[in-house]
Amino acid sequence: MQKNNSFSDCPLEYAISILGGKWKLQIIWTIYTAKSIRFNQLKQELDGITDMMLTKILKEFVTQNIIIRHQYNEIPPHVEYSLSENGLKLVEALSEVRKWSREVQ
Amino acid sequence: MQKNNSFSDCPLEYAISILGGKWKLQIIWTIYTAKSIRFNQLKQELDGITDMMLTKILKEFVTQNIIIRHQYNEIPPHVEYSLSENGLKLVEALSEVRKWSREVQ
């Protein structure tokens, strides 16, 4: 087996940097279970998050192509968030880690 | 699909708490690639970790049943660390997240 001495390039650290912090996993999970969700609904599900923090994280996730922002030009117009294909793959990958945690906890 | 409002119980947060911090993933990965490794070898592979920090993390991982500490009562006696069955399962689960990161990065 090959030694990996340049661990700083490790893609796992990228994943952990994406998911670290108090809210990010919870946001991904909430959008996943809801399939598609409005900002205010999402905020209600997250106990204590500020508008500013939620806006910031959603923007990051859109940039990272983890979630998609759908704008509905109805009257009144509204916006919903859902996971992108990449985001769904991430949830699948994480579910393996989740399974591991359940078994050992 | 069922809503999960008690996300604080989420096993994934347990996994992230196990793996968070500057060194933990790197230690698991280094032990995994080496299969079995002595303290000093491990320290050499980790650029800049202190003895105290490495000792602390190894103890935690032994308690969490992620690694196994083998004491060899030869002359001179020595100790090696390897992943437990649980630790190997964790690496497998993480490799899914790793694969995801590689694809999207």
Side-chain angles (χ1 to χ4, degrees):
Chain A
M1 219 172 300
Q2 218 191 336
K3 281 236 173 122
N4 180 357
N5 287 316
S6 61
F7 196 85
S8 55
D9 304 330
C10 172
L12 258 179
E13 299 210 330
Y14 171 72
I16 285 194
S17 75
I18 283 187
L19 302 171
K22 184 171 160 54
W23 296 110
K24 290 179 170 181
L25 267 178
Q26 199 173 343
I27 290 171
I28 289 175
W29 187 250
T30 306
I31 297 175
Y32 172 70
T33 53
K35 289 187 178 164
S36 186
I37 194 167
R38 293 190 190 200
F39 186 93
N40 282 332
Q41 267 179 288
L42 186 52
K43 200 190 160 193
Q44 271 170 21
E45 300 273 347
L46 304 165
D47 196 20
I49 197 167
T50 61
D51 281 7
M52 198 193 272
M53 176 61 83
L54 183 52
T55 303
K56 182 176 167 283
I57 296 173
L58 290 173
K59 270 190 188 153
E60 277 176 35
F61 281 159
V62 169
T63 306
Q64 291 161 338
N65 189 23
I66 289 168
I67 66 173
I68 296 169
R69 183 182 186 280
H70 302 270
Q71 179 142 1
Y72 292 88
N73 295 318
E74 301 161 354
I75 297 169
H78 74 276
V79 166
E80 290 190 17
Y81 296 92
S82 62
L83 293 188
S84 68
E85 209 179 306
N86 266 334
L88 285 169
K89 278 187 196 159
L90 174 61
V91 169
E92 278 165 30
L94 289 173
S95 73
E96 291 300 309
V97 184
R98 196 181 163 98
K99 218 188 288 169
W100 175 85
S101 297
R102 276 223 181 99
E103 282 167 15
V104 302
Q105 230 174 347
Chain B
M1 217 173 302
Q2 217 190 336
K3 281 239 174 119
N4 180 357
N5 288 315
S6 60
F7 195 85
S8 54
D9 305 329
C10 172
L12 258 179
E13 300 210 328
Y14 171 72
I16 285 194
S17 75
I18 282 187
L19 302 170
K22 184 173 160 51
W23 297 110
K24 290 180 171 181
L25 268 178
Q26 201 172 342
I27 290 171
I28 289 174
W29 187 250
T30 306
I31 298 175
Y32 172 71
T33 53
K35 288 187 180 165
S36 186
I37 195 166
R38 293 191 191 200
F39 185 94
N40 283 331
Q41 268 179 288
L42 185 54
K43 200 189 160 191
Q44 271 171 21
E45 301 273 347
L46 305 165
D47 196 21
I49 197 167
T50 61
D51 281 7
M52 199 192 274
M53 178 61 84
L54 184 52
T55 304
K56 182 176 165 285
I57 295 173
L58 290 173
K59 270 191 188 154
E60 277 176 35
F61 281 160
V62 169
T63 306
Q64 291 162 339
N65 189 24
I66 288 168
I67 66 172
I68 297 170
R69 184 182 185 277
H70 301 271
Q71 179 141 1
Y72 291 88
N73 295 320
E74 299 161 356
I75 297 168
H78 74 276
V79 166
E80 291 190 16
Y81 296 92
S82 62
L83 293 188
S84 68
E85 208 179 306
N86 265 335
L88 285 168
K89 278 187 195 159
L90 174 60
V91 169
E92 278 166 30
L94 289 173
S95 73
E96 292 300 308
V97 184
R98 195 180 164 100
K99 217 186 289 169
W100 175 86
S101 296
R102 275 223 182 98
E103 282 167 14
V104 301
Q105 231 174 347

